[in-house]
PDB file of all heavy atoms in Angstrom:
ATOM      1  N   ILE K 216     149.618  53.999 103.604  1.00 97.00           N
ATOM      2  CA  ILE K 216     150.051  52.648 103.238  1.00 97.00           C
ATOM      3  C   ILE K 216     149.173  51.593 103.910  1.00 97.00           C
ATOM      4  O   ILE K 216     148.797  50.595 103.290  1.00 97.00           O
ATOM      5  CB  ILE K 216     151.541  52.462 103.608  1.00 97.00           C
ATOM      6  CG1 ILE K 216     152.412  53.250 102.623  1.00 97.00           C
ATOM      7  CG2 ILE K 216     151.938  51.001 103.637  1.00 97.00           C
ATOM      8  CD1 ILE K 216     153.867  53.359 103.035  1.00 97.00           C
ATOM      9  N   GLN K 217     148.817  51.815 105.173  1.00 97.00           N
ATOM     10  CA  GLN K 217     147.969  50.858 105.892  1.00 97.00           C
ATOM     11  C   GLN K 217     146.554  50.819 105.332  1.00 97.00           C
ATOM     12  O   GLN K 217     145.924  49.757 105.279  1.00 97.00           O
ATOM     13  CB  GLN K 217     147.923  51.209 107.374  1.00 97.00           C
ATOM     14  CG  GLN K 217     149.208  50.901 108.116  1.00 97.00           C
ATOM     15  CD  GLN K 217     149.148  51.301 109.577  1.00 97.00           C
ATOM     16  OE1 GLN K 217     148.324  52.127 109.980  1.00 97.00           O
ATOM     17  NE2 GLN K 217     150.012  50.723 110.384  1.00 97.00           N
ATOM     18  N   GLN K 218     146.041  51.970 104.917  1.00 97.00           N
ATOM     19  CA  GLN K 218     144.655  52.054 104.478  1.00 97.00           C
ATOM     20  C   GLN K 218     144.456  51.628 103.032  1.00 97.00           C
ATOM     21  O   GLN K 218     143.337  51.281 102.648  1.00 97.00           O
ATOM     22  CB  GLN K 218     144.133  53.493 104.660  1.00 97.00           C
ATOM     23  CG  GLN K 218     143.999  53.928 106.106  1.00 97.00           C
ATOM     24  CD  GLN K 218     142.969  53.113 106.848  1.00 97.00           C
ATOM     25  OE1 GLN K 218     141.864  52.889 106.348  1.00 97.00           O
ATOM     26  NE2 GLN K 218     143.320  52.654 108.035  1.00 97.00           N
ATOM     27  N   VAL K 219     145.512  51.690 102.225  1.00 96.00           N
ATOM     28  CA  VAL K 219     145.379  51.368 100.799  1.00 96.00           C
ATOM     29  C   VAL K 219     146.423  50.305 100.437  1.00 96.00           C
ATOM     30  O   VAL K 219     147.431  50.597  99.795  1.00 96.00           O
ATOM     31  CB  VAL K 219     145.553  52.629  99.927  1.00 96.00           C
ATOM     32  CG1 VAL K 219     145.203  52.321  98.461  1.00 96.00           C
ATOM     33  CG2 VAL K 219     144.675  53.771 100.437  1.00 96.00           C
ATOM     34  N   PRO K 220     146.191  49.060 100.844  1.00 95.00           N
ATOM     35  CA  PRO K 220     147.176  48.001 100.590  1.00 95.00           C
ATOM     36  C   PRO K 220     147.513  47.834  99.114  1.00 95.00           C
ATOM     37  O   PRO K 220     148.649  47.488  98.770  1.00 95.00           O
ATOM     38  CB  PRO K 220     146.505  46.751 101.155  1.00 95.00           C
ATOM     39  CG  PRO K 220     145.504  47.251 102.140  1.00 95.00           C
ATOM     40  CD  PRO K 220     145.033  48.569 101.617  1.00 95.00           C
ATOM     41  N   SER K 221     146.543  48.089  98.247  1.00 96.00           N
ATOM     42  CA  SER K 221     146.786  47.895  96.813  1.00 96.00           C
ATOM     43  C   SER K 221     147.835  48.865  96.266  1.00 96.00           C
ATOM     44  O   SER K 221     148.482  48.577  95.255  1.00 96.00           O
ATOM     45  CB  SER K 221     145.477  48.065  96.036  1.00 96.00           C
ATOM     46  OG  SER K 221     144.964  49.377  96.216  1.00 96.00           O
ATOM     47  N   ALA K 222     147.995  50.007  96.922  1.00 95.00           N
ATOM     48  CA  ALA K 222     148.973  51.001  96.461  1.00 95.00           C
ATOM     49  C   ALA K 222     150.205  51.054  97.343  1.00 95.00           C
ATOM     50  O   ALA K 222     151.132  51.816  97.067  1.00 95.00           O
ATOM     51  CB  ALA K 222     148.323  52.378  96.409  1.00 95.00           C
ATOM     52  N   ALA K 223     150.230  50.251  98.405  1.00 95.00           N
ATOM     53  CA  ALA K 223     151.275  50.367  99.423  1.00 95.00           C
ATOM     54  C   ALA K 223     152.669  50.148  98.857  1.00 95.00           C
ATOM     55  O   ALA K 223     153.584  50.942  99.109  1.00 95.00           O
ATOM     56  CB  ALA K 223     151.000  49.385 100.563  1.00 95.00           C
ATOM     57  N   LYS K 224     152.851  49.084  98.087  1.00 96.00           N
ATOM     58  CA  LYS K 224     154.189  48.764  97.599  1.00 96.00           C
ATOM     59  C   LYS K 224     154.718  49.848  96.667  1.00 96.00           C
ATOM     60  O   LYS K 224     155.870  50.287  96.798  1.00 96.00           O
ATOM     61  CB  LYS K 224     154.187  47.405  96.892  1.00 96.00           C
ATOM     62  CG  LYS K 224     155.564  46.972  96.431  1.00 96.00           C
ATOM     63  CD  LYS K 224     155.544  45.574  95.812  1.00 96.00           C
ATOM     64  CE  LYS K 224     156.936  45.151  95.374  1.00 96.00           C
ATOM     65  NZ  LYS K 224     156.945  43.799  94.768  1.00 96.00           N
ATOM     66  N   ALA K 225     153.875  50.294  95.743  1.00 97.00           N
ATOM     67  CA  ALA K 225     154.313  51.326  94.796  1.00 97.00           C
ATOM     68  C   ALA K 225     154.640  52.627  95.517  1.00 97.00           C
ATOM     69  O   ALA K 225     155.650  53.282  95.228  1.00 97.00           O
ATOM     70  CB  ALA K 225     153.239  51.553  93.735  1.00 97.00           C
ATOM     71  N   PHE K 226     153.792  53.017  96.482  1.00 97.00           N
ATOM     72  CA  PHE K 226     154.016  54.259  97.232  1.00 97.00           C
ATOM     73  C   PHE K 226     155.302  54.159  98.042  1.00 97.00           C
ATOM     74  O   PHE K 226     156.148  55.063  98.019  1.00 97.00           O
ATOM     75  CB  PHE K 226     152.819  54.531  98.144  1.00 97.00           C
ATOM     76  CG  PHE K 226     152.927  55.809  98.919  1.00 97.00           C
ATOM     77  CD1 PHE K 226     152.415  56.994  98.408  1.00 97.00           C
ATOM     78  CD2 PHE K 226     153.522  55.839 100.173  1.00 97.00           C
ATOM     79  CE1 PHE K 226     152.514  58.182  99.121  1.00 97.00           C
ATOM     80  CE2 PHE K 226     153.625  57.021 100.900  1.00 97.00           C
ATOM     81  CZ  PHE K 226     153.114  58.189 100.366  1.00 97.00           C
ATOM     82  N   ALA K 227     155.461  53.062  98.782  1.00 97.00           N
ATOM     83  CA  ALA K 227     156.633  52.894  99.637  1.00 97.00           C
ATOM     84  C   ALA K 227     157.911  52.828  98.810  1.00 97.00           C
ATOM     85  O   ALA K 227     158.940  53.397  99.188  1.00 97.00           O
ATOM     86  CB  ALA K 227     156.476  51.634 100.488  1.00 97.00           C
ATOM     87  N   THR K 228     157.846  52.154  97.677  1.00 97.00           N
ATOM     88  CA  THR K 228     159.021  52.047  96.818  1.00 97.00           C
ATOM     89  C   THR K 228     159.402  53.403  96.241  1.00 97.00           C
ATOM     90  O   THR K 228     160.576  53.792  96.230  1.00 97.00           O
ATOM     91  CB  THR K 228     158.770  51.043  95.681  1.00 97.00           C
ATOM     92  OG1 THR K 228     158.467  49.761  96.248  1.00 97.00           O
ATOM     93  CG2 THR K 228     159.970  50.928  94.770  1.00 97.00           C
TER      94      THR K 228
END
Side-chain angles (χ1 to χ4, degrees):
I216 287 169
Q217 287 178 340
Q218 292 296 314
V219 189
S221 61
K224 183 176 181 180
F226 182 91
T228 301

